[in-house]
Amino acid sequence: MTHGSTPSTAHRQAFVVRLWRESPDRSTWRGWVQHVATGETDCFTDPIGLIAFIETYTGPLASPAVITTRLK
């Protein structure tokens, strides 16, 4: 890579993620995600839903076993 160059945009993706607590006991989280380039959005109720949405643009981030273990 030459000085001042940046990685191809094909290898970069941008997302907006919003999280909030759904219930007063603060144990239930909800979320919303948007892919910046396309404007496509989705809602999710667990981290797996968020990861699944992101992976539609990036391909697999890690094996499902690794993701599940990290989210526990």
Side-chain angles (χ1 to χ4, degrees), residues 8-64:
S8 165
T9 57
H11 299 289
R12 294 182 290 163
Q13 300 292 328
F15 300 88
V16 175
V17 179
R18 295 182 179 151
L19 299 169
W20 64 91
R21 292 177 194 248
E22 187 69 21
S23 61
D25 68 2
R26 299 182 180 216
S27 64
T28 304
W29 285 90
R30 298 284 185 244
W32 173 91
V33 60
Q34 178 181 39
H35 183 245
V36 172
T38 64
E40 185 175 351
T41 64
D42 196 17
C43 294
F44 55 91
T45 57
D46 59 49
I48 298 296
L50 170 61
I51 291 167
F53 180 85
I54 291 173
E55 286 182 335
T56 63
Y57 297 95
T58 64
L61 298 174
S63 72

